[in-house]
């Protein structure tokens, strides 16, 4: 660090300044490294200043690395330019890295991983229009990162089964593997499953190297360590059925848009893996037969049935009757009217631990909603979307009986101001209400509702208007479709109301630039 030519004052520093520096050592570090402002000779008495020094040199590498963990990636890069020591510490303390996985990475990989030699989480993503890295680069990365615990591959089309086998050989401590839009097959997946005894999570999306359903392939043996499996958009995802059934400790299973009939396979899976606690079935060919099989999973807590038109009230009732621990249920009935009051009544009577219920394209009435409100005392989050029967009687029923409800979302339902007014005195724990595309609800009712609750209730009302208005609302983050509603209703907080939703991004930008300018200013001052 550069030395200062400033002079010191013969007058002792004020007591407040001394106290501030003694209580906050960081001030003394900045003061020692930033050139002091020269005072007039009459004040200083002509005495020469003591040369300043870099007080960060006294800071151990571990403490410096701890400070770096509070910075984002851009600020860490700037800090690495301060000096060679900071460059080394920043590289050795970075545990997660995301790289452009185009073919040119092969040349740069040795120097990158010579600097970042403590990486445990790697994401390799390639543009679908570019040539990706192949086995040679993947083997080089795996050999350099032997303590790798998480690996994500996206659109790495040149990687083969041999490359994945090398990953399994060099990184036996791998815990999470996520692959998408790659061209290797089940042999590469099997190599990782068998050679990585600590593998816990496996996510496979659009894997292009799978054989046709008509081809006989060797079964993949499951692993006792696997706790979560996600199969998404696979044209022959059923070739992984033996992997699922063989993973005795599996807790989470997600099957999303995978072709083929899954009823028979779900029977085999449920029989061999009875400890499943969370299951997602989305756009899948599954019927009540499959749901009846899943009812043998007595520990089931989370159930998602999204656009499975062959599932009816009978299947839902079977799961609810034998899975009393259910606490989250998401159903997208796709407006087939095959799931309604009869299935929901069984849910109300058999699932007292229910905390979250999302119904999309389902038509419940006050008959089922009243039982859910009264028999599920722990219900905290409720969302109804595109329901033709959820109107004022149903919401009045919810308001009078749902004592634990905290968050309510209603979209595209025939509710009006009359029904919403019931929330003024009902649901004592309610903190957030979101209403969208409900023509009978006015902004006057929303304002009145917030006033009645003494400002303790946030009401987010989307007043349906012109197409331009709806588009602007969408750009500000309001839910645009039913699928996003599923993800947001169970979040820690719902979206902010329109009255202050625009101020949040502005405040975040201000804080970002303020922090960015502060870091840049500090780096410039510390630079020689």
């Amino acid at each position: 660090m550069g030395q200062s030519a400033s002079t010191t004052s013969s007058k002792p520093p004020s007591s407040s300044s001394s106290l501030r520096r003694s209580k906050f050592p960081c001030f003394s570090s900045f003061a020692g490294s930033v050139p002091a402002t020269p005072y007039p000779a009459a004040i200083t008495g002509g005495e020469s200043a003591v040369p300043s020094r870099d007080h960060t040199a006294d800071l151990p590498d571990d403490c410096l690395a701890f400070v770096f963990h509070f910075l984002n990636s851009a600020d860490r890069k700037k800090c690495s330019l301060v000096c060679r020591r900071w460059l080394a510490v920043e590289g050795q303390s970075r545990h997660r890295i995301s790289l452009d996985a185009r073919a040119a990475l092969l040349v740069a990989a040795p120097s990158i991983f010579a600097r970042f030699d403590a990486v445990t989480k790697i994401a390799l993503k390639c543009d679908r229009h570019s040539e990706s890295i192949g086995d040679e680069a993947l083997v080089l990365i795996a050999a350099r990162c032997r303590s790798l615990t998480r690996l994500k591959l996206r659109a790495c089309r040149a990687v083969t089964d041999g490359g994945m086998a090398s990953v399994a050989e060099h990184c036996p401590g791998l815990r999470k593997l996520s692959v998408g839009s790659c061209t290797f097959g089940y042999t590469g997946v099997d190599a990782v499953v068998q050679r990585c005894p600590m593998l816990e999570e496996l996510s496979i999306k659009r894997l292009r190297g799978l054989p046709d359903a008509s081809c006989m392939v060797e079964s993949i043996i499951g692993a006792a360590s696997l706790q979560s499996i996600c199969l998404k958009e696979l044209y022959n995802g059923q070739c992984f059925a033996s992997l699922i059934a063989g993973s005795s400790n599996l807790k989470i299973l997600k099957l999303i848009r995978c072709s083929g009939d899954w009823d028979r396979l779900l029977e085999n899976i449920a029989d061999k893996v009875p400890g499943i606690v969370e299951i997602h079935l989305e756009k899948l060919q599954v019927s009540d037969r499959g749901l009846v099989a899943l009812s043998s999973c007595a520990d089931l807590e989370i159930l998602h049935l999204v656009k499975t038109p062959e599932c009816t009230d009978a299947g839902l009732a079977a799961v609810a009757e034998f899975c009393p621990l259910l606490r989250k249920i998401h159903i997208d009935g796709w407006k087939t009217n095959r799931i309604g009051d009869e299935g929901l009544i069984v849910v109300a009577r058999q699932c007292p631990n229910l905390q979250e219920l999302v119904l999309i394209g389902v038509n419940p009435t006050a008959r089922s909603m009243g039982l859910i409100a009264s028999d599920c005392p722990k219900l905290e989050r409720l969302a109804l979307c595109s329901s033709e029967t959820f109107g004022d009687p149903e919401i009045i029923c919810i308001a009078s009986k749902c004592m634990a409800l905290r968050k309510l979302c209603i979209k595209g339902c025939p509710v009006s101001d009359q029904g919403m007014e019931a929330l003024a005195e009902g649901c004592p724990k309610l903190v957030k209400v979101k209403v969208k595309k409900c023509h009978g609800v006015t902004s006057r009712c929303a304002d009145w509702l917030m006033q009645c609750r003494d400002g303790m209730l946030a009401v987010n009302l989307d007043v349906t208007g012109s197409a331009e208005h709806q588009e602007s609302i969408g750009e500000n983050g309001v839910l645009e479709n039913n699928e996003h509603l599923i993800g947001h209703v169970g979040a820690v907080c719902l979206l902010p109301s329109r009255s202050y939703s625009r101020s949040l991004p502005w405040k975040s930008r201000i804080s970002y630039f303020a922090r960015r300018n502060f870091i840049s200013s500090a780096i410039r001052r510390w630079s020689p």
Side-chain angles (χ1 to χ4, degrees):
M1 302 295 178
Q3 296 181 351
S4 172
S6 64
T7 58
T8 59
S9 172
S10 58
K11 182 179 179 180
S14 63
S15 58
S16 61
S17 176
S18 301
L19 179 61
R20 183 168 61 250
R21 294 192 179 187
S22 63
K23 293 178 67 176
F24 303 100
C26 60
F27 282 111
S28 61
S29 297
F30 278 105
S33 59
V34 180
T37 303
Y39 294 105
I43 299 178
T44 61
E47 297 180 5
S48 59
V50 178
S52 62
R53 67 185 183 88
D54 179 13
H55 288 275
T56 63
D58 300 330
L59 200 65
D61 288 351
D62 292 342
C63 293
L64 190 60
F66 181 74
V67 174
F68 288 159
H69 286 159
F70 290 93
L71 305 180
N72 58 33
S73 180
D75 289 337
R76 288 180 68 110
K77 290 178 182 178
K78 294 175 183 178
C79 287
S80 67
L81 301 176
V82 172
C83 61
R84 292 182 179 179
R85 178 182 174 234
W86 284 34
L87 176 68
V89 172
E90 195 278 329
Q92 294 168 0
S93 63
R94 189 184 286 260
H95 301 299
R96 179 181 304 185
I97 190 171
S98 180
L99 299 174
D100 186 344
R102 285 181 285 185
L105 180 60
L106 175 61
V107 179
S111 58
I112 291 176
F113 290 98
R115 175 186 170 191
F116 302 108
D117 55 357
V119 171
T120 59
K121 305 171 186 177
I122 297 179
L124 301 173
K125 304 177 183 179
C126 180
D127 184 86
R128 62 179 181 177
H129 301 296
S130 305
E131 181 183 357
S132 73
I133 60 171
D135 290 347
E136 185 178 358
L138 189 61
V139 171
L140 175 62
I141 293 173
R144 295 267 187 164
C145 305
R146 293 183 176 270
S147 18
L148 196 65
T149 59
R150 297 185 185 182
L151 177 62
K152 179 185 291 186
L153 301 177
R154 291 291 182 269
C156 296
R157 293 173 295 278
V159 174
T160 67
D161 291 330
M164 295 304 298
S166 298
V167 170
E169 179 182 356
H170 290 99
C171 307
L174 195 66
R175 292 179 177 271
K176 297 182 181 181
L177 174 64
S178 176
V179 298
S181 301
C182 297
T183 56
F184 58 86
Y186 68 94
T187 303
V189 176
D190 183 52
V192 175
V193 172
Q194 303 306 324
R195 298 183 189 180
C196 299
M198 302 177 69
L199 189 66
E200 298 176 351
E201 296 185 18
L202 178 63
S203 177
I204 303 173
K205 179 180 179 181
R206 291 195 298 268
L207 196 61
R208 308 301 186 189
L210 299 179
D212 294 334
S214 58
C215 299
M216 296 298 295
V217 297
E218 184 179 355
S219 298
I220 300 179
I221 302 175
S225 62
L226 272 174
Q227 297 183 12
S228 174
I229 295 178
C230 176
L231 305 180
K232 187 174 183 179
E233 298 179 17
L234 301 178
Y235 58 82
N236 187 18
Q238 297 185 2
C239 67
F240 292 107
S242 58
L243 169 66
I244 301 173
S247 302
S248 56
N249 293 317
L250 191 66
K251 302 298 181 184
I252 302 175
L253 176 62
K254 299 180 181 181
L255 303 174
I256 303 172
R257 295 191 289 275
C258 295
S259 61
D261 187 352
W262 284 85
D263 281 338
R264 182 177 58 83
L265 296 177
L266 285 177
E267 290 177 341
N268 185 38
I269 291 170
D271 182 55
K272 296 182 179 180
V273 192
I276 295 178
V277 298
E278 180 177 350
I279 187 162
H280 294 232
L281 305 176
E282 180 176 342
K283 285 189 177 180
L284 209 66
Q285 186 179 343
V286 60
S287 67
D288 290 342
R289 176 184 171 186
L291 294 183
V292 171
L294 292 176
S295 66
S296 63
C297 301
D299 296 330
L300 191 65
E301 297 180 10
I302 301 175
L303 174 66
H304 285 227
L305 292 177
V306 180
K307 298 178 181 178
T308 53
E310 297 182 27
C311 295
T312 68
D313 283 324
L316 178 61
V319 176
E321 183 176 359
F322 295 100
C323 303
L325 299 180
L326 276 171
R327 56 186 179 87
K328 291 185 180 181
I329 298 179
H330 290 208
I331 300 176
D332 186 342
W334 223 0
K335 295 186 177 182
T336 58
N337 290 326
R338 307 198 71 181
I339 293 180
D341 277 345
E342 301 305 322
L344 293 175
I345 288 174
V346 179
V347 169
R349 291 174 175 171
Q350 302 294 330
C351 303
N353 297 315
L354 190 65
Q355 299 175 4
E356 180 175 308
L357 178 62
V358 177
L359 301 176
I360 300 174
V362 178
N363 295 323
T365 66
R367 189 163 67 97
S368 60
M369 298 309 298
L371 285 175
I372 289 176
S374 58
D375 294 354
C376 300
K378 298 181 181 180
L379 186 65
E380 296 182 350
R381 297 175 294 275
L382 177 64
L384 291 108
C385 182
S386 302
S387 173
E388 299 175 355
T389 59
F390 188 84
D392 290 342
E394 286 71 28
I395 198 170
I396 292 173
C397 183
I398 292 294
S400 61
K401 297 181 180 181
C402 245
M403 297 295 103
L405 192 67
R406 295 178 59 84
K407 300 173 185 178
L408 175 64
C409 292
I410 306 173
K411 177 181 177 182
C413 298
V415 298
S416 69
D417 288 349
Q418 181 180 359
M420 295 296 295
E421 288 174 359
L423 296 175
E425 297 182 359
C427 301
K429 295 184 179 180
L430 193 64
V431 293
K432 294 188 180 180
V433 176
K434 175 177 175 59
V435 181
K436 182 176 182 181
K437 295 184 179 180
C438 297
H439 302 277
V441 182
T442 64
S443 57
R444 179 178 301 178
C445 176
D447 295 337
W448 175 83
L449 195 58
M450 287 188 289
Q451 292 176 0
C452 290
R453 301 294 289 252
D454 297 328
M456 301 303 293
L457 177 64
V459 180
N460 188 342
L461 175 63
D462 177 14
V463 181
T464 305
S466 62
E468 295 180 357
H469 175 75
Q470 293 181 13
E471 183 178 358
S472 65
I473 293 297
E475 292 174 354
N476 288 330
V478 176
L479 304 181
E480 285 298 318
N481 53 48
N482 299 343
E483 295 179 357
H484 289 127
L485 180 64
I486 295 177
H488 280 271
V489 69
V492 175
C493 61
L494 298 181
L495 293 174
S497 61
R498 290 182 56 200
S499 59
Y500 55 89
S501 61
R502 295 191 179 185
S503 63
L504 294 181
W506 173 245
K507 291 181 180 178
S508 64
R509 286 196 295 268
I510 291 178
S511 62
Y512 168 77
F513 285 113
R515 183 177 69 253
R516 179 177 175 181
N517 293 337
F518 172 78
I519 296 295
S520 302
S521 176
I523 292 175
R524 285 196 297 269
R525 291 180 180 179
W526 293 344
S527 300

